[in-house]
Amino acid sequence: LRKKAGAMKKKKKRNWVLNIILVIAIVCFLGSGGYLLKYYWDSWQAEKNISALEDMILTDEEAAAQTGTGDGSLESGESSDRQAASNRYARLLEQNPDFIGWIQIEGTPISYPVMYTPDDPEYYLHRNFDKEYEYSGLPFVDGSCSLDPRSTNVIVYGHNMKSDTMFSHLLDYQDESFYKEHPYITFNTIYGDAQYEIVSVILARALYEDEEGFRYYGMIDAASQEEFDEYMANIHAMELYDTGVDASYGDQLLTLSTCEYSQENGRLAIIAKKR
């Protein structure tokens, strides 16, 4: 009887432990499911808000109508184009003066406002257009860059989201056939419109401050042709495939950068030149 009672006691204890483990597993499962649900809900909401912002952009006709002088005539040349570009985004600028432009890659989901806060470069890393917390954040320009006057290289960072939003689709450029179908990037700013032709797609790392090596984000303003050529030589040495396109000293570069997880601090970067 003692042995039977002892066995029953051990069985009850084992069942009690198993029940606790089961409860913990269920709680973890529900917690993970809830987190994923919230993650994708937040991403959907963020994309919905982006779409609403895009609807605030004026058409070319509406922007041009606001560019005229008092007698109905238009300013000429570059100043007119610049004014029209600024007018196109007037509503967005009124809502948030940190807005600097809109980036788009035709045929892909990439179509986002770009922010610029040189005094606090990563301000929009996890903030939305209303400056509220949002994990996906918004694409933003490197604080060392300048758009007016324009630096040699303008670098735009964006998150690689598991929800396939923001800059996640830049990773599709690892496939050369995808590049051939989408070789251009449109980056229209409040200073004017521009289209860029992709030169290189690279996999790299964000290096630690005390770590030596080539930094694809290290060249903002080329002081000389030698510096520019050395930079491009390093870029071509890292590229995943040959696009057949090169950049020369005097070209205006655009670099898009996002996280890539095949290595520590991995990054995928696309280097393009203004057409």
Side-chain angles (χ1 to χ4, degrees):
L1 288 174
R2 288 180 181 177
K3 288 183 178 179
K4 187 175 181 180
M8 290 180 65
K9 189 175 182 180
K10 287 182 179 179
K11 185 176 180 180
K12 286 182 179 180
K13 185 177 181 180
R14 184 168 61 251
N15 289 341
W16 181 75
V17 171
L18 290 174
N19 286 336
I20 290 177
I21 293 174
L22 179 61
V23 169
I24 292 174
I26 291 173
V27 169
C28 290
F29 175 78
L30 292 175
S32 299
Y35 171 81
L36 286 175
L37 184 63
K38 185 178 186 305
Y39 177 88
Y40 284 100
W41 170 262
D42 288 347
S43 294
W44 177 82
Q45 190 64 50
E47 290 297 297
K48 184 179 178 182
N49 292 338
I50 295 296
S51 181
L53 292 174
E54 193 167 8
D55 289 340
M56 294 171 65
I57 300 173
L58 299 180
T59 65
D60 290 341
E61 292 76 14
E62 291 171 330
Q66 295 189 29
T67 312
T69 60
D71 60 0
S73 62
L74 290 176
E75 299 176 24
S76 60
E78 184 177 346
S79 61
S80 176
D81 294 338
R82 180 167 174 155
Q83 187 62 52
S86 180
N87 285 342
R88 184 186 303 130
Y89 301 117
R91 296 172 185 169
L92 294 177
L93 282 168
E94 183 178 356
Q95 184 172 328
N96 190 334
D98 295 335
F99 170 82
I100 198 70
W102 199 278
I103 197 158
Q104 183 176 25
I105 301 179
E106 189 174 352
T108 80
I110 295 175
S111 182
Y112 293 104
V114 178
M115 315 307 286
Y116 182 50
T117 52
D119 294 331
D120 188 3
E122 296 186 355
Y123 183 82
Y124 287 95
L125 185 66
H126 295 299
R127 284 187 175 91
N128 61 20
F129 203 79
D130 293 324
K131 302 183 180 182
E132 300 168 339
Y133 176 82
E134 196 166 86
Y135 182 75
S136 58
L138 288 171
F140 60 91
V141 174
D142 189 304
S144 300
C145 300
S146 172
L147 285 97
D148 185 37
R150 195 191 189 284
S151 52
T152 304
N153 191 11
V154 171
I155 306 172
V156 180
Y157 300 101
H159 283 297
N160 171 13
M161 300 294 291
K162 292 180 181 178
S163 56
D164 288 338
T165 59
M166 294 299 153
F167 276 7
S168 61
H169 281 278
L170 291 185
L171 272 71
D172 294 338
Y173 278 98
Q174 293 177 92
D175 185 346
E176 186 176 0
S177 63
F178 185 86
Y179 151 73
K180 289 180 178 178
E181 293 174 359
H182 310 88
Y184 303 113
I185 301 167
T186 299
F187 184 31
N188 296 334
T189 75
I190 60 175
Y191 304 113
D193 298 346
Q195 189 176 59
Y196 296 81
E197 183 175 17
I198 294 174
V199 176
S200 296
V201 179
I202 67 170
L203 291 181
R205 288 181 56 243
L207 303 182
Y208 295 108
E209 287 187 14
D210 58 351
E211 188 176 0
E212 293 192 8
F214 173 70
R215 290 169 167 78
Y216 69 92
Y217 47 85
M219 197 274 289
I220 304 298
D221 272 308
S224 65
Q225 180 172 345
E226 182 181 7
E227 180 184 353
F228 186 92
D229 290 346
E230 181 180 357
Y231 174 81
M232 289 308 305
N234 279 296
I235 290 296
H236 285 307
M238 300 172 69
E239 63 190 12
L240 298 179
Y241 43 81
D242 182 5
T243 64
V245 182
D246 198 4
S248 304
Y249 182 59
D251 283 337
Q252 295 181 355
L253 301 182
L254 173 68
T255 298
L256 305 187
S257 176
T258 194
C259 291
E260 188 277 329
Y261 301 109
S262 67
Q263 56 183 325
E264 181 188 15
N265 295 331
R267 299 290 187 271
L268 180 138
I270 296 176
I271 295 84
K273 69 174 182 178
K274 187 176 179 181
R275 300 182 70 190

